[in-house]
Amino acid sequence: MTMTNAVMGAAGEHMHHQISVFNAQSPQAESIVHLFYVDLAISAVIFLTVTALVIAAVIRFRARPGDAEPYQDPGNPRLETLWTVIPALILLGLLILTARTMLAVNPPVGDRKANVVVMAHQWWWEYRYPSGVITANELHIPTGTNWLLSIQSADVIHDFWVPSLGAKMDAIPGHPNVLWITAQTPGTYQGTCAEYCGAEHAMMGIRVIVQSPEEFVRWEQGQLHLPVAPAGEEIERGARLFADKTCLNCHRINGTKAVAGVGPDLTHLADRDTIGSDLLANNLTNLTRWIADPQAIKPACNMPALRLTGVEAHDIAVYLESLK
Ligand code: CUA
């Protein structure tokens, strides 16, 4: 699929980790996959035992020519009690294992403050750090830290899920949930919204960029700086169009008149690998296409096509790609 390739190619310097629950890259994801293997082993033993007994009974007790009517058993209270109690005990065991894993994956938070607020929107993700940094779709976290995410939603119920890093967590309007991630290995991890949330649920990708603590601090400090002022004819024209064509009714670019928080913050858009929520590689061609007609790329998304000319869309894209 060319779209996926385009995004993969955009990862640049970051190592790309395979998206799989079996590729656990945090203690939380390891606990979950371990529980899966234990459950699978218990289920396999039960499945093989029951299947073997059924096959044995079919062969041993099959009707033979000349057989009389077999004995009609009216019931056996002892056996029936036994085969009710045994499954109940197995289920109780699985419940205990599950509860232990849930506690290990998401221990009580106490009065600990979240390291980042994850705000889900139809159909993209916003990340707000206590330092004041606000970014979209690409979550940066450092390695080796018990990172606490506050999972929230601005509209409908979504679900934040990065299989290699941790549990699924619902994003419910008005009810913040918490999620712990202790990332071990730097690199890029992908995930997706895991709760059906409308037309573009399938295009609500998550990208997590795990960095060493030093790199993370450098990234965060960089995000706090204002982007360079527009310089050059195309960029200046693009900046003017951004203000005139109502882009600023929805988007924020720090240091400019654009202060709205409806759509993604674009202050440092050029630093991101992707656009459209992990949908397209972030480059001038894709961004121009997106600005000219977002509905053609992500139908029903909340950004309208503003009937721009090709040159106008290009100039706005050039301006946005200058925002580092
Ligand atoms: Cu957001 Cu599904």
Side-chain angles (χ1 to χ4, degrees), residues 120-121 123 125 156-159 193-198 201-202 204:
H121 296 257
W123 287 275
W125 302 90
V156 300
I157 298 176
H158 303 266
D159 190 305
C193 180
E195 179 76 38
Y196 182 68
C197 55
H201 160 69
M204 196 168 159

